[in-house]
Amino acid sequence: MLETSSPRTQSPGDAYRRSDTVHGLFAWCARQWPETTALVHGDRKISFRELDALSDDYAAELAERGIGRGDHVPVVLRRDIEMVAVLLGVLKRGAVYAALDPAWPHQRLAALVNRLRAKVVVARHGDWPVPMWTPGAGQGRRPAEVTVSGDDPAQVFFTSGSTGAPKGVVVPHRGTVRLYDDCGWGPFGPGTVQTQTMPTHWDGSILDLWSALLCGSTCVFVDEVL
């Protein structure tokens, strides 16, 4: 069972300035600062323009695989540039991403994929109950535009399941957008560097990943200590 978190109640004068969706805020940044570095991972870096184009290509691939508005897409990838492009590509399709840790036992992962009623799982390896897609280099494709609102679901986070089966909590777009539309509560924006250390299957990633990408900052991945 998936539970939806309560959205913020907006007054008539409380309209969002840039967009009411996560990918809409990112697209705004990509137009404003296309050559600003969006992500750094080791020796690799990618600009907002390049990340926008790569996520467009991935969204087109997902469309070919039947992914559309409201579908749940499990993303079982290590944190890297392609993973972020996949998350944005899922959102551009009007779909909902569920970032799952590839280090979890495969039986647990397969069970969550089934619970999500997924049509495809994004992963680099594994034996899955649905077709698998592994992201690679972009091919310059552009997806058809999908109408998405701030009330539409964007992310699913699963609890640890310490009291039984993991509980899935659905976060609507406005749950993230409300934090970053005006970037008013932190020093976000071009010239700011944000380290990204939190696992993407945890809702804390809304803070150290999207805070940068939705405000024009640069996000630097810090790999786990092995």
Side-chain angles (χ1 to χ4, degrees), residues 23 32 88 112 128 155 200 225:
H23 57 288
Q32 286 289 113
L88 286 166
L112 292 177
W128 304 101
Q155 303 134 327
T200 47
V225 177

Side-chain angles (χ1 to χ4, degrees), residues 59-82:
E61 175 70 26
L62 289 166
E64 291 181 6
R65 293 172 178 270
I67 299 302
R69 185 175 181 180
D71 287 328
H72 294 91
V73 181
V75 180
V76 192
L77 298 173
R78 297 288 186 185
R79 296 178 305 129
D80 62 12
I81 288 172
E82 285 74 24

Side-chain angles (χ1 to χ4, degrees), residues 12-83:
D14 195 26
Y16 293 114
R17 297 186 305 115
R18 295 186 289 145
S19 177
D20 63 351
T21 66
V22 173
H23 57 288
L25 287 187
F26 173 80
W28 187 93
C29 292
R31 292 192 298 269
Q32 286 289 113
W33 307 292
E35 302 310 319
T36 294
T37 299
L39 290 171
V40 177
H41 184 211
D43 295 331
R44 298 180 64 197
K45 63 174 60 176
I46 190 170
S47 69
F48 275 86
R49 175 183 56 79
E50 293 168 327
L51 182 57
D52 191 38
L54 184 59
S55 62
D56 272 351
D57 186 83
Y58 287 175
E61 175 70 26
L62 289 166
E64 291 181 6
R65 293 172 178 270
I67 299 302
R69 185 175 181 180
D71 287 328
H72 294 91
V73 181
V75 180
V76 192
L77 298 173
R78 297 288 186 185
R79 296 178 305 129
D80 62 12
I81 288 172
E82 285 74 24
M83 181 213 68

